[in-house]
Amino acid sequence: MTLTDDARTDGSGSPDPRPRRRGPWSRLSRPGETDGLVGILVKIVLLGLADALALYAVFVLAAQEKWVVLALTVVLTVGVNVVYLRRDGLPAKYLAPGITLLLVFQVFVMVYTGYIAFTNAGDGHNSSKEDAVAAIATKGQERVPDSPQYQLSVLEKRGDVWFLVTAPDGAVALGSADEPLAEVDDAEVDGSGKAVAVDGYAPLSFDELLDRQDEILATAVPVSDNPSDGSLRTADGSTAYEYRSNLRYDEDAGTFTDATTGTVYADGGEGAFVSADGEELVPGWKINVGLDNFRRAVETPQLRDSLLSVIVWTFVFATLSVALVFGLGLFLAMVFNVASMRGKRFYRVMLILPYAFPAFLSGLVWSGLLNTEFGFVNQVLLGGADIEWLTDPWLARFSVLFVNTWLGFPYMFLVCTGALQSIPDEMNEAARMDGASPWRAFRAVKLPLLLVSVAPLLITTFAYNFNNFNVIYMLTRGGPRFEDTTSDIGATDLLITMVYKVAFGTGTGRDYGLASALTIIIFVVIGIISAVLFRRTKALEDIH
C-alpha cells in the first residue's frame, strides 16, 4: 500500500511526527495553472506584444473609421487576455490560437468576400465618395496663370514629404499630400524672410532633394479642405505655384462643373459622376448594388454563354480527373501489391516522384514539353510533328487532363496501396474458395472494402480539382480563348481561373464584385455536391 504525506505513520498507527520531505513531483502545478516564474514572464511578454499590436491596429482603424473591424479587434483582444490570464481553463488556452486564426483567415475572408459580391468594387470603384471627389478634383491640374510664387522649403517627417511655404505677404503654412496647408506661427525664418524649419520636421539637404526629386515633383499639397481650391506643386524644390483642375466641385449641389465647357456631372446613382450625355468621370466610388453582380453573371449574353461552357467543362474536368487518377492509382497499387514481384520498393519510389514536384512548376515544364514548335513531345517523340497540344480547344483539354493525371496518380497510388494492404487475406481466400474469379473477387470483395476508406478522399479530390488553379493557369492560362466573347475566357478555363481573370484580368479591367459573386456560386455548388456525396458514402458503413 502506498501512503501519502498526509497519511504517514511511525509503524504504531499514529502519525509520524518527523517533518515531511516533498519530492520533485510535488512542485508540478495543477492542470491549467502557470508553472513557475519563467512561464509567467513568457506569458506577460507574449500578451504584451499581442496587446501592443492590437492597440496599434485600434489607432489605425480609428483613423480610417473602420468601426466594425475595430470593435471585433477589441473583442478578440479582450477574449485572448481573459483566456490566458485565468489560472484554469487549460483547453481554452490550447484552442484559442487555432480559433483566432480561423476567425481571421477563414471566417473574416468569407464574410468579406460575401460583402464584396454585393458591391460594385473594381477598377475605379475601390474607395469612398469623398476620396473620389478629391481624386477627380486633383486630376489633370494645370498651373494657374496668375499664381503667386511661394518660397518653398521641403521637410521630412516619418518618411513623408512636407511643404513649408512662405506666401508673398509673409504668411507661413505647412502641409503634405495628405494634409492641407495650415498656418504655422513658430517656424524658423532666415534673413530673407523665408521659413526654413519647424520643430519636429527635418529639412532635406540638397543631396536628399536630388535623391527624392521624383517624389517631390509628384507631390501636390492641397490648399484647403475643398479639393476645388487646388494645390501647390513645385518644379525645382525651392518655389511652389498654385495648380487647379478645370473641374470645380460644388459641395452644396454635390456636382462637378467643367470650367471650360460648362458640362455638369452629377451623382448618377451607380457610384460615379455622370453628365447628361452619359459621360462618366473616373474614378467612382464603391456602393451596394444588391444582386446585380449575380444578375450580370446570368443575363449578360457573352458572359452567360462563356459561364455555361466553363461550368460544364469544370464538372467534366473534375469528374474525369478523379476517375483517371483513381483508376490509374488503383491499377498500379494492385500491380505492385503482388507479393512475388521483385524490386517493388524501387518502383514505388519512382512512381511517387511526380507527387514530389510542385504542381505549378510541373505545369510550366509540361507547357514547354508540349509546345507546338520546339516542344520535346513534337520534335523528339513524334519526329517533328505539328500538333497543337495547347492551342487547339480539344487537344488543350486532353493535355490538361493528361498532365493533371500525371501529377495526381501518385497520391491515389499511395492511398490505394495502404487500403489494399489493410484488407485481410482471409477475405480473398474465402472468395477464392467460393469459386469466384479474380475479377469478381475484386469487384465484390476488394473494391467495396477499398471504397470504405477511399470514398471520402475521392470527394475531397473532386473538390480540389474543381478549383485546380495551378495546372490550368500554368499550362494553358485557360486558353485557347473563346471567339464569341470579349472577355479573356478560354476553352480550358475552370470557374476558379475565370474568377481570377475577372478579378485581376488585364484588358477587361478588374471587377472584384462580379468575381466575388462567382466565388459564392462556386462555394454553393461544391458545398451541395460534397454534402450529397458524403450522404451517399454512409451506405459504405454497412459494408465496413
Side-chain angles (χ1 to χ4, degrees):
M1 179 177 68
T2 302
L3 298 177
T4 63
D5 288 340
D6 294 333
R8 291 191 309 159
T9 63
D10 58 2
S12 61
S14 59
D16 192 344
R18 292 175 297 175
R20 292 180 295 178
R21 300 176 62 186
R22 304 182 65 87
W25 298 104
S26 63
R27 293 195 298 269
L28 291 176
S29 303
R30 292 181 300 171
E33 293 185 354
T34 303
D35 185 13
L37 179 62
V38 175
I40 295 176
L41 293 177
V42 171
K43 180 189 295 185
I44 292 175
V45 170
L46 293 178
L47 283 178
L49 292 175
D51 292 343
L53 180 62
L55 184 62
Y56 172 77
V58 165
F59 283 114
V60 173
L61 292 171
Q64 298 178 356
E65 299 183 354
K66 306 288 186 180
W67 306 118
V68 176
V69 182
L70 187 150
L72 293 176
T73 302
V74 171
V75 171
L76 186 62
T77 305
V78 171
V80 169
N81 280 270
V82 170
V83 167
Y84 285 100
L85 290 177
R86 293 171 56 191
R87 294 180 61 85
D88 54 357
L90 183 62
K93 296 178 181 179
Y94 281 105
L95 292 174
I99 294 176
T100 301
L101 295 176
L102 176 67
L103 292 175
V104 174
F105 294 106
Q106 292 290 337
V107 177
F108 172 76
V109 172
M110 292 176 61
V111 172
Y112 188 74
T113 301
Y115 160 71
I116 293 297
F118 297 94
T119 69
N120 65 338
D123 277 348
H125 299 278
N126 286 322
S127 192
S128 63
K129 186 175 182 179
E130 291 75 15
D131 293 336
V133 170
I136 294 172
T138 57
K139 184 178 64 174
Q141 287 185 340
E142 299 178 355
R143 178 176 169 178
V144 178
D146 56 350
S147 168
Q149 176 179 302
Y150 294 82
Q151 299 184 74
L152 172 65
S153 296
V154 183
L155 311 180
E156 185 268 341
K157 182 178 181 180
R158 297 176 182 175
D160 296 330
V161 171
W162 291 73
F163 283 4
L164 180 63
V165 296
T166 306
D169 59 0
V172 179
L174 178 68
S176 69
D178 299 323
E179 295 290 337
L181 288 174
E183 291 188 6
V184 178
D185 297 329
D186 56 349
E188 180 181 341
V189 181
D190 63 8
S192 64
K194 175 183 176 181
V196 294
V198 176
D199 289 340
Y201 298 82
L204 295 183
S205 64
F206 181 74
D207 292 337
E208 291 173 330
L209 288 174
L210 293 179
D211 291 339
R212 304 179 65 174
Q213 61 178 338
D214 292 338
E215 179 184 0
I216 294 171
L217 295 179
T219 301
V221 178
V223 174
S224 67
D225 292 330
N226 187 353
S228 297
D229 291 340
S231 60
L232 293 185
R233 306 184 69 167
T234 182
D236 55 12
S238 60
T239 57
Y241 297 90
E242 292 182 8
Y243 283 71
R244 193 174 299 165
S245 172
N246 290 328
L247 293 172
R248 309 296 171 81
Y249 183 65
D250 187 339
E251 294 184 2
D252 296 332
T255 60
F256 273 100
T257 303
D258 192 326
T260 304
T261 63
T263 305
V264 177
Y265 299 86
D267 184 352
E270 297 182 356
F273 290 102
V274 185
S275 67
D277 297 334
E279 183 183 358
E280 183 177 305
L281 295 180
V282 179
W285 58 92
K286 186 169 59 178
I287 62 171
N288 294 324
V289 296
L291 299 175
D292 284 353
N293 290 319
F294 298 91
R295 193 176 297 113
R296 287 168 54 201
V298 298
E299 290 184 357
T300 305
Q302 292 183 337
L303 185 60
R304 179 189 60 215
D305 296 340
S306 300
L307 179 61
L308 290 176
S309 299
V310 170
I311 290 176
V312 172
W313 164 241
T314 301
F315 276 99
V316 171
F317 174 79
T319 304
L320 289 179
S321 294
V322 173
L324 292 173
V325 167
F326 176 65
L328 182 58
L330 177 59
F331 172 76
L332 294 175
M334 294 184 64
V335 170
F336 292 102
N337 197 43
V338 177
S340 59
M341 177 174 286
R342 302 177 62 181
K344 290 188 296 184
R345 293 183 179 179
F346 172 77
Y347 294 131
R348 286 173 177 172
V349 171
M350 296 301 295
L351 285 174
I352 65 174
L353 284 180
Y355 192 55
F357 290 99
F360 70 92
L361 181 59
S362 298
L364 291 175
V365 172
W366 275 103
S367 178
L369 294 175
L370 295 174
N371 185 275
T372 303
E373 298 178 359
F374 54 82
F376 180 84
V377 174
N378 278 353
Q379 299 302 319
V380 178
L381 297 183
L382 301 179
D386 188 20
I387 301 177
E388 299 179 347
W389 294 106
L390 304 178
T391 55
D392 179 81
W394 291 104
L395 287 177
R397 289 167 177 156
F398 169 80
S399 299
V400 296
L401 281 171
F402 173 79
V403 174
N404 194 47
T405 303
W406 182 81
L407 287 170
F409 85 86
Y411 168 74
M412 201 58 65
F413 166 72
L414 293 174
V415 171
C416 292
T417 298
L420 287 173
Q421 292 178 351
S422 67
I423 298 176
D425 293 334
E426 291 80 1
M427 305 294 293
N428 296 326
E429 293 293 336
R432 201 174 295 117
M433 293 289 293
D434 290 340
S437 64
W439 166 248
R440 181 165 179 77
F442 167 76
R443 186 174 59 85
V445 178
K446 285 187 177 181
L447 185 60
L449 293 174
L450 188 71
L451 290 176
V452 172
S453 56
V454 175
L457 297 177
L458 294 179
I459 297 173
T460 57
T461 302
F462 178 87
Y464 170 79
N465 283 291
F466 204 87
N467 291 316
N468 197 336
F469 178 88
N470 288 335
V471 171
I472 300 297
Y473 199 78
M474 294 301 172
L475 190 62
T476 64
R477 294 191 179 272
R481 180 174 173 175
F482 290 134
E483 297 180 355
D484 56 348
T485 179
T486 57
S487 302
D488 185 19
I489 303 174
T492 58
D493 265 318
L494 302 181
L495 280 172
I496 188 64
T497 57
M498 180 180 176
V499 168
Y500 176 82
K501 290 179 178 180
V502 170
F504 307 105
T506 57
T508 56
R510 298 175 176 87
D511 195 335
Y512 303 131
L514 178 60
S516 298
L518 294 174
T519 302
I520 292 177
I521 294 175
I522 296 175
F523 174 79
V524 172
V525 170
I526 293 180
I528 293 175
I529 293 175
S530 299
V532 172
L533 293 179
F534 274 117
R535 288 179 63 89
R536 293 295 181 91
T537 56
K538 289 184 177 181
L540 298 173
E541 296 178 1
D542 297 334
I543 298 176
H544 183 68

